[in-house]
Short mmCIF file of all heavy atoms in Angstrom, two decimals:
data_model
loop_
_atom_site.label_atom_id
_atom_site.label_comp_id
_atom_site.label_asym_id
_atom_site.label_seq_id
_atom_site.Cartn_x
_atom_site.Cartn_y
_atom_site.Cartn_z
N MET A 104 -3.88 10.99 -3.30
CA MET A 104 -4.71 10.26 -4.18
C MET A 104 -5.97 9.88 -3.64
O MET A 104 -7.12 9.89 -4.31
CB MET A 104 -3.92 9.05 -4.75
CG MET A 104 -4.62 8.18 -5.81
SD MET A 104 -4.52 8.86 -7.45
CE MET A 104 -6.04 9.73 -7.61
N THR A 105 -6.06 9.35 -2.42
CA THR A 105 -7.26 8.99 -1.74
C THR A 105 -8.22 10.16 -1.57
O THR A 105 -9.42 10.02 -1.81
CB THR A 105 -6.88 8.42 -0.29
OG1 THR A 105 -6.08 7.33 -0.45
CG2 THR A 105 -8.22 8.06 0.43
N SER A 106 -7.65 11.36 -1.18
CA SER A 106 -8.56 12.54 -1.01
C SER A 106 -9.14 12.93 -2.41
O SER A 106 -10.29 13.31 -2.52
CB SER A 106 -7.58 13.68 -0.51
OG SER A 106 -8.38 14.93 -0.39
N ALA A 107 -8.30 12.90 -3.50
CA ALA A 107 -8.80 13.25 -4.77
C ALA A 107 -9.92 12.38 -5.28
O ALA A 107 -10.89 12.75 -5.82
CB ALA A 107 -7.63 13.30 -5.75
N LEU A 108 -9.66 11.08 -4.98
CA LEU A 108 -10.76 10.08 -5.40
C LEU A 108 -12.02 10.31 -4.64
O LEU A 108 -13.18 10.05 -5.15
CB LEU A 108 -10.26 8.68 -5.21
CG LEU A 108 -9.26 8.14 -6.28
CD1 LEU A 108 -8.71 6.82 -5.87
CD2 LEU A 108 -9.95 8.02 -7.69
N SER A 109 -11.96 10.67 -3.32
CA SER A 109 -13.07 10.97 -2.49
C SER A 109 -13.88 12.02 -3.08
O SER A 109 -15.14 12.05 -3.12
CB SER A 109 -12.64 11.19 -1.11
OG SER A 109 -12.03 10.11 -0.50
N ARG A 110 -13.22 13.09 -3.54
CA ARG A 110 -13.91 14.22 -4.22
C ARG A 110 -14.59 13.85 -5.44
O ARG A 110 -15.63 14.24 -5.75
CB ARG A 110 -12.89 15.42 -4.38
CG ARG A 110 -12.45 16.10 -3.12
CD ARG A 110 -11.87 17.50 -3.51
NE ARG A 110 -12.78 18.29 -4.15
CZ ARG A 110 -12.44 19.52 -4.71
NH1 ARG A 110 -11.15 19.89 -4.70
NH2 ARG A 110 -13.37 20.21 -5.27
N LEU A 111 -13.88 12.97 -6.23
CA LEU A 111 -14.46 12.49 -7.47
C LEU A 111 -15.69 11.72 -7.24
O LEU A 111 -16.66 11.73 -7.93
CB LEU A 111 -13.40 11.67 -8.21
CG LEU A 111 -13.82 11.17 -9.62
CD1 LEU A 111 -14.02 12.38 -10.51
CD2 LEU A 111 -12.84 10.18 -10.16
N MET A 112 -15.71 10.90 -6.11
CA MET A 112 -16.88 10.16 -5.81
C MET A 112 -18.09 10.99 -5.46
O MET A 112 -19.21 10.71 -5.86
CB MET A 112 -16.57 9.26 -4.60
CG MET A 112 -15.56 8.16 -4.86
SD MET A 112 -15.05 7.29 -3.25
CE MET A 112 -13.49 6.52 -3.86
N MET A 113 -17.71 12.09 -4.79
CA MET A 113 -18.90 13.03 -4.32
C MET A 113 -19.57 13.63 -5.52
O MET A 113 -20.68 14.03 -5.47
CB MET A 113 -18.31 14.12 -3.43
CG MET A 113 -17.81 13.59 -2.10
SD MET A 113 -17.00 14.87 -1.14
CE MET A 113 -18.34 16.08 -0.94
N VAL A 114 -18.85 13.72 -6.68
CA VAL A 114 -19.39 14.39 -7.79
C VAL A 114 -20.66 13.57 -8.34
O VAL A 114 -21.66 14.16 -8.81
CB VAL A 114 -18.39 14.42 -9.03
CG1 VAL A 114 -19.09 14.73 -10.30
CG2 VAL A 114 -17.29 15.48 -8.67
N SER A 115 -20.61 12.26 -8.26
CA SER A 115 -21.64 11.44 -8.61
C SER A 115 -23.06 11.74 -7.96
O SER A 115 -24.16 11.44 -8.55
CB SER A 115 -21.38 9.97 -8.39
OG SER A 115 -21.38 9.68 -7.09
N GLU A 116 -23.00 12.31 -6.82
CA GLU A 116 -24.21 12.69 -6.10
C GLU A 116 -25.06 13.64 -6.88
O GLU A 116 -26.25 13.70 -6.75
CB GLU A 116 -23.88 13.27 -4.75
CG GLU A 116 -23.24 12.28 -3.73
CD GLU A 116 -24.30 11.20 -3.24
OE1 GLU A 116 -25.53 11.45 -3.42
OE2 GLU A 116 -23.84 10.12 -2.81
N ARG A 117 -24.49 14.46 -7.68
CA ARG A 117 -25.16 15.44 -8.43
C ARG A 117 -25.65 15.03 -9.81
O ARG A 117 -26.23 15.82 -10.57
CB ARG A 117 -24.26 16.70 -8.59
CG ARG A 117 -23.88 17.36 -7.24
CD ARG A 117 -23.29 18.73 -7.41
NE ARG A 117 -21.92 18.57 -8.02
CZ ARG A 117 -20.84 18.43 -7.23
NH1 ARG A 117 -20.94 18.31 -5.90
NH2 ARG A 117 -19.63 18.42 -7.84
N TYR A 118 -25.23 13.75 -10.14
CA TYR A 118 -25.54 13.25 -11.56
C TYR A 118 -26.17 11.87 -11.43
O TYR A 118 -25.38 10.86 -11.49
CB TYR A 118 -24.30 13.27 -12.35
CG TYR A 118 -23.61 14.59 -12.54
CD1 TYR A 118 -22.61 15.05 -11.65
CD2 TYR A 118 -24.03 15.47 -13.59
CE1 TYR A 118 -22.08 16.22 -11.68
CE2 TYR A 118 -23.45 16.77 -13.64
CZ TYR A 118 -22.47 17.09 -12.71
OH TYR A 118 -21.95 18.40 -12.85
N PRO A 119 -27.55 11.79 -11.32
CA PRO A 119 -28.18 10.43 -11.24
C PRO A 119 -27.91 9.55 -12.38
O PRO A 119 -27.83 8.39 -12.27
CB PRO A 119 -29.66 10.79 -11.21
CG PRO A 119 -29.65 12.29 -10.62
CD PRO A 119 -28.44 12.88 -11.23
N GLU A 120 -27.84 10.11 -13.56
CA GLU A 120 -27.55 9.33 -14.81
C GLU A 120 -26.17 8.67 -14.69
O GLU A 120 -26.00 7.56 -15.19
CB GLU A 120 -27.56 10.21 -16.09
CG GLU A 120 -28.86 10.96 -16.31
CD GLU A 120 -28.96 12.25 -15.66
OE1 GLU A 120 -28.06 12.60 -14.77
OE2 GLU A 120 -29.97 12.99 -15.84
N LEU A 121 -25.20 9.31 -14.08
CA LEU A 121 -23.87 8.75 -13.86
C LEU A 121 -23.94 7.51 -12.94
O LEU A 121 -23.38 6.53 -13.27
CB LEU A 121 -22.90 9.84 -13.30
CG LEU A 121 -21.59 9.32 -12.74
CD1 LEU A 121 -20.79 8.70 -13.94
CD2 LEU A 121 -20.70 10.50 -12.19
N LYS A 122 -24.68 7.71 -11.89
CA LYS A 122 -24.82 6.53 -10.90
C LYS A 122 -25.42 5.27 -11.54
O LYS A 122 -25.19 4.18 -11.13
CB LYS A 122 -25.54 7.03 -9.70
CG LYS A 122 -24.83 8.00 -8.87
CD LYS A 122 -25.59 8.25 -7.55
CE LYS A 122 -26.95 9.04 -7.80
NZ LYS A 122 -27.56 9.35 -6.50
N ALA A 123 -26.25 5.56 -12.61
CA ALA A 123 -26.95 4.38 -13.24
C ALA A 123 -26.11 3.77 -14.39
O ALA A 123 -26.54 2.74 -14.98
CB ALA A 123 -28.27 4.91 -13.73
N ASP A 124 -25.05 4.41 -14.73
CA ASP A 124 -24.15 3.92 -15.85
C ASP A 124 -23.57 2.60 -15.52
O ASP A 124 -22.93 2.49 -14.41
CB ASP A 124 -23.08 5.04 -16.10
CG ASP A 124 -22.24 4.62 -17.33
OD1 ASP A 124 -21.27 3.84 -17.16
OD2 ASP A 124 -22.56 5.25 -18.39
N GLY A 125 -23.69 1.66 -16.35
CA GLY A 125 -23.10 0.36 -16.11
C GLY A 125 -21.61 0.32 -15.96
O GLY A 125 -21.06 -0.33 -15.03
N MET A 126 -20.89 1.08 -16.74
CA MET A 126 -19.46 1.15 -16.64
C MET A 126 -19.02 1.69 -15.28
O MET A 126 -18.13 1.22 -14.66
CB MET A 126 -18.91 2.02 -17.85
CG MET A 126 -17.35 2.21 -17.76
SD MET A 126 -16.47 0.77 -17.87
CE MET A 126 -16.63 0.49 -19.72
N PHE A 127 -19.79 2.77 -14.90
CA PHE A 127 -19.48 3.45 -13.68
C PHE A 127 -19.62 2.45 -12.45
O PHE A 127 -18.79 2.40 -11.64
CB PHE A 127 -20.33 4.70 -13.43
CG PHE A 127 -20.02 5.49 -12.25
CD1 PHE A 127 -18.95 6.39 -12.28
CD2 PHE A 127 -20.80 5.39 -11.10
CE1 PHE A 127 -18.66 7.15 -11.21
CE2 PHE A 127 -20.44 6.13 -9.96
CZ PHE A 127 -19.42 7.03 -10.03
N GLN A 128 -20.64 1.65 -12.51
CA GLN A 128 -20.96 0.71 -11.48
C GLN A 128 -19.90 -0.36 -11.43
O GLN A 128 -19.45 -0.81 -10.32
CB GLN A 128 -22.40 0.13 -11.65
CG GLN A 128 -23.49 1.02 -11.48
CD GLN A 128 -24.92 0.48 -11.78
OE1 GLN A 128 -24.95 -0.66 -12.19
NE2 GLN A 128 -25.87 1.24 -11.60
N ASP A 129 -19.41 -0.75 -12.61
CA ASP A 129 -18.39 -1.78 -12.61
C ASP A 129 -17.04 -1.24 -12.09
O ASP A 129 -16.32 -1.92 -11.33
CB ASP A 129 -18.12 -2.25 -14.08
CG ASP A 129 -17.00 -3.26 -14.18
OD1 ASP A 129 -17.14 -4.31 -13.66
OD2 ASP A 129 -15.99 -2.92 -14.86
N LEU A 130 -16.77 -0.01 -12.43
CA LEU A 130 -15.54 0.70 -11.91
C LEU A 130 -15.71 0.85 -10.38
O LEU A 130 -14.65 0.76 -9.68
CB LEU A 130 -15.33 2.04 -12.56
CG LEU A 130 -14.84 1.94 -14.06
CD1 LEU A 130 -14.99 3.33 -14.68
CD2 LEU A 130 -13.45 1.38 -14.17
N GLN A 131 -16.83 1.14 -9.85
CA GLN A 131 -17.09 1.22 -8.46
C GLN A 131 -16.78 -0.02 -7.73
O GLN A 131 -16.06 -0.05 -6.76
CB GLN A 131 -18.52 1.62 -8.19
CG GLN A 131 -18.85 1.65 -6.73
CD GLN A 131 -20.42 1.62 -6.46
OE1 GLN A 131 -21.21 1.61 -7.41
NE2 GLN A 131 -20.76 1.79 -5.15
N ALA A 132 -17.24 -1.15 -8.25
CA ALA A 132 -17.04 -2.53 -7.66
C ALA A 132 -15.45 -2.74 -7.72
O ALA A 132 -14.91 -3.25 -6.73
CB ALA A 132 -17.71 -3.56 -8.47
N GLN A 133 -14.79 -2.43 -8.78
CA GLN A 133 -13.36 -2.65 -8.88
C GLN A 133 -12.57 -1.79 -7.88
O GLN A 133 -11.62 -2.28 -7.28
CB GLN A 133 -12.88 -2.35 -10.29
CG GLN A 133 -13.39 -3.37 -11.36
CD GLN A 133 -12.72 -3.08 -12.73
OE1 GLN A 133 -11.49 -3.10 -12.84
NE2 GLN A 133 -13.52 -2.92 -13.70
N LEU A 134 -13.03 -0.55 -7.76
CA LEU A 134 -12.38 0.34 -6.80
C LEU A 134 -12.55 -0.10 -5.33
O LEU A 134 -11.61 -0.10 -4.60
CB LEU A 134 -12.86 1.74 -6.97
CG LEU A 134 -12.12 2.87 -6.20
CD1 LEU A 134 -10.66 2.84 -6.52
CD2 LEU A 134 -12.76 4.19 -6.45
N GLU A 135 -13.78 -0.56 -5.07
CA GLU A 135 -14.01 -1.09 -3.76
C GLU A 135 -13.14 -2.25 -3.42
O GLU A 135 -12.53 -2.44 -2.33
CB GLU A 135 -15.51 -1.53 -3.55
CG GLU A 135 -16.53 -0.40 -3.51
CD GLU A 135 -17.92 -0.82 -3.53
OE1 GLU A 135 -18.16 -1.95 -3.97
OE2 GLU A 135 -18.78 -0.07 -3.10
#
Side-chain angles (χ1 to χ4, degrees):
M104 183 79 261
T105 299
S106 176
L108 283 173
S109 296
R110 289 197 60 189
L111 184 65
M112 294 173 198
M113 292 174 61
V114 168
S115 68
E116 293 291 339
R117 299 191 289 272
Y118 301 91
E120 299 87 352
L121 170 60
K122 292 187 291 183
D124 185 280
M126 175 65 77
F127 186 79
Q128 292 175 357
D129 179 63
L130 289 168
Q131 173 192 6
Q133 291 186 55
L134 187 57
E135 287 175 342

